[in-house]
C-alpha cells in the first residue's frame, strides 16, 4: 500500500516537477561546460613513499561503512535479461580491486630503479576528474560534482544503469544489485542496482576534516590542497626526483595527481589490470570530444528533471 501511494505521488509530483523545470529551461550548454578549476581541491600521491601497508584501505572502509549497500534478496528478475546481476554482498572482504564495498585498493608494480628490482605500491581510487564524464553523462542526474571538485554518486537517486562506469576512462564505479530506487520504481526494467565509488570523504571535508585515507597513512603519501598548489607541488617533486606526473592532463585533468620515480608507461605495464583494476595509460580529454559534449547538453535537462523526480520520490517514501 505504502509503495502504491508513493508511486502515485511520484507520478503526480514528478510530472509537476518536470513541467516546472521544462518551463524554466535548463542550461544544458552550461552543464556541458568545464567547471571552475580554481575552486577544486586536489590530492598529490608520492608513489615513492607508499609502503603498501593498506592502512588507508582499512580506514576507508571503516569511515564509509554506513554508505555501503545492504541489498534485498532474492533479486528481482530482469526483463529482458540484459543487465547481469553484480553481487558483492558475499564478497565484502575483497580488497585487491574496486568493489561497491571497497573504494580504494593498492596496486603492485615490480620495476627496475637504478638497476635494482623494486616493488612500488600505488593507492587507486576515483581520480575525481576536473570535468567528470560520469557526472556529465549520467542520464538520471545521480552523479554530481561539488564545487570543490569532488564527484559523488547519490545512492538514493542512482538506478544502477552503469553509464558512469562506461564513460569513465578508468571504469571506476562498481555496481551492487538489489539495492536502491529501482526496487520500488521499476524492479524488472531499470538499471539493476546502485553504482558506488570513492566520494573523497565529502562529508568529512564539509566538516573541516581530511579524507580518512589521508589521515590514516603513516607515511604521509597524500597531500590535499587547492588544485593549482597541488600542481606546483607535483612539478617541484617531479623535478626533485627526476620523476613523472600522472593526472595533470589525463582526461583533461584530474584532482588526483601521482608522482612516480619511473615513467607511467612502465608502471602501467607492470600493474595487474582488468575489471575493478584501473590502468595508468595516457587518457585524452573525453569531454572535449564532440559526441560527448553533445550528449552532455542533451542529457543535462533530462538529468535535472530525473534528479528532481528522484528526490521527490525519496521524500514520499
Ligand atoms: S575517474 Fe571516472 S568515476 Fe572518477 S570522476 Fe573521473 S570519470 Fe568519474
Ligand atoms: S577519500 Fe575517502 S572515500 Fe575516497 S578512498 Fe579515501 S577514505 Fe575512501
Ligand atoms: S596507508 Fe599510506 S603507506 Fe600505507 S598503503 Fe596507504 S598510502 Fe601506502
Amino acid at each position: 500500500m505504502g509503495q502504491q501511494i508513493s508511486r502515485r505521488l511520484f507520478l503526480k509530483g514528478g510530472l509537476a516537477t518536470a513541467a516546472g523545470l521544462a518551463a524554466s529551461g535548463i542550461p544544458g550548454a552550461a552543464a556541458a561546460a568545464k567547471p571552475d578549476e580554481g575552486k577544486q581541491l586536489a590530492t598529490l600521491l608520492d608513489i615513492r613513499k607508499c609502503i603498501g601497508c593498506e592502512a588507508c584501505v582499512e580506514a576507508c572502509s571503516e569511515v564509509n561503512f554506513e554508505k555501503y549497500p545492504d541489498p534485498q534478496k532474492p533479486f528481482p528478475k530482469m526483463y529482458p535479461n540484459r543487465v547481469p546481476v553484480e553481487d558483492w554482498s558475499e564478497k565484502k572482504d575483497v580488497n585487491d580491486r574496486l568493489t561497491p564495498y571497497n573504494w580504494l585498493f593498492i596496486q603492485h608494480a615490480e620495476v627496475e630503479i637504478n638497476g635494482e628490482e623494486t616493488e612500488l605500491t600505488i593507492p587507486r581510487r576515483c581520480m575525481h576528474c576536473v570535468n567528470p564524464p560520469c557526472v556529465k553523462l549520467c542520464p538520471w542526474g545521480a552523479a554530481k560534482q561539488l564545487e570543490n571538485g569532488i564527484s559523488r554518486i547519490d545512492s538514493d537517486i542512482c538506478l544502477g544503469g552503469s553509464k558512469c562506469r562506461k564513460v569513465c576512462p578508468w571504469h571506476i564505479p562498481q555496481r551492487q544489485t538489489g539495492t536502491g530506487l529501482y526496487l520500488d520504481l521499476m524492479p524488472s526494467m531499470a538499471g539493476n542496482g546502485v553504482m558506488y565509488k570513492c566520494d573523497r570523504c565529502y562529508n568529512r571535508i564539509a566538516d573541516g576534516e581530511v579524507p580518512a585515507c589521508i589521515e590514516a597513512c603513516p607515511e604521509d603519501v597524500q597531500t590535499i590542497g587547492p588544485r593549482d598548489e597541488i600542481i606546483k607541488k607535483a612539478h617541484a617533486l617531479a623535478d626533485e626526483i627526476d620523476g613523472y606526473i600522472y593526472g595533470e592532463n589525463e582526461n583533461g585533468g584530474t584532482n588526483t595527481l601521482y608522482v612516480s620515480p619511473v615513467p607511467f608507461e612502465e608502471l602501467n605495464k607492470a600493474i595487474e589490470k582488468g575489471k575493478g583494476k584501473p590502468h595508468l595509460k595516457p587518457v585524452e580529454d573525453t569531454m572535449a570530444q564532440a559526441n560527448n559534449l553533445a550528449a552532455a547538453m542533451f542529457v543535462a535537462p533530462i538529468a535535472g528533471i530525473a534528479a528532481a523526480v528522484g528526490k521527490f520520490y525519496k521524500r514520499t517514501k
Side-chain angles (χ1 to χ4, degrees), residues 260-280:
S260 161
V262 296
F264 282 92
E265 203 183 353
E266 252 179 69
L267 280 186
N268 186 53
K269 277 188 203 147
I271 55 174
E272 193 184 336
K273 300 171 287 290
K275 285 186 179 169
K277 298 183 179 183
H279 63 77
L280 282 166

Side-chain angles (χ1 to χ4, degrees), residues 150-293:
I150 292 174
S151 68
R152 60 174 289 254
I153 298 168
D154 189 334
S155 57
D156 288 326
I157 296 175
C158 177
L159 289 175
S162 78
K163 179 81 177 176
C164 53
R165 178 167 58 194
K166 195 170 166 212
V167 299
C168 168
W170 296 274
H171 308 301
I172 298 283
Q174 301 293 319
R175 175 165 48 204
Q176 173 61 48
T177 298
T179 186
L181 192 56
Y182 92 106
L183 290 174
D184 287 332
L185 218 51
M186 295 179 280
S188 298
M189 301 297 287
N192 189 350
V194 171
M195 307 301 293
Y196 292 88
K197 71 171 192 74
C198 157
D199 60 15
R200 223 172 60 192
C201 293
Y202 74 97
N203 44 332
R204 286 174 64 93
I205 288 187
D207 290 343
E209 294 176 273
V210 293
C213 55
I214 298 183
E215 191 177 81
C217 177
E219 303 295 324
D220 290 333
V221 167
Q222 298 194 59
T223 311
I224 188 164
R227 188 166 197 267
D228 52 350
E229 282 178 26
I230 287 295
I231 286 176
K232 278 188 205 146
K233 283 190 176 151
H235 277 277
L237 179 60
D239 288 347
E240 183 194 325
I241 67 168
D242 203 12
Y244 304 83
I245 300 174
Y246 190 79
E248 182 178 5
N249 301 310
E250 277 65 29
N251 200 27
T254 67
N255 283 314
T256 302
L257 280 89
Y258 292 94
V259 173
S260 161
V262 296
F264 282 92
E265 203 183 353
E266 252 179 69
L267 280 186
N268 186 53
K269 277 188 203 147
I271 55 174
E272 193 184 336
K273 300 171 287 290
K275 285 186 179 169
K277 298 183 179 183
H279 63 77
L280 282 166
K281 289 191 290 198
V283 176
E284 285 182 9
D285 185 352
T286 53
M287 284 311 297
Q289 290 162 11
N291 55 346
N292 276 348
L293 266 179

Side-chain angles (χ1 to χ4, degrees), residues 300-316:
I302 301 169
I305 292 166
V309 169
K311 277 187 193 140
F312 179 85
Y313 181 72
K314 198 169 73 180
R315 279 205 308 273
T316 61

Side-chain angles (χ1 to χ4, degrees), residues 135-158:
V135 172
K136 297 295 173 73
L137 299 173
C138 169
W140 193 240
K144 320 162 194 285
Q145 186 181 40
L146 311 185
E147 211 180 26
N148 60 12
I150 292 174
S151 68
R152 60 174 289 254
I153 298 168
D154 189 334
S155 57
D156 288 326
I157 296 175
C158 177

Side-chain angles (χ1 to χ4, degrees), residues 49-56 106 123 216-219 221:
K49 287 185 174 177
C50 180
I51 55 171
C53 66
E54 299 190 348
C56 52
I106 305 297
C217 177
E219 303 295 324
V221 167

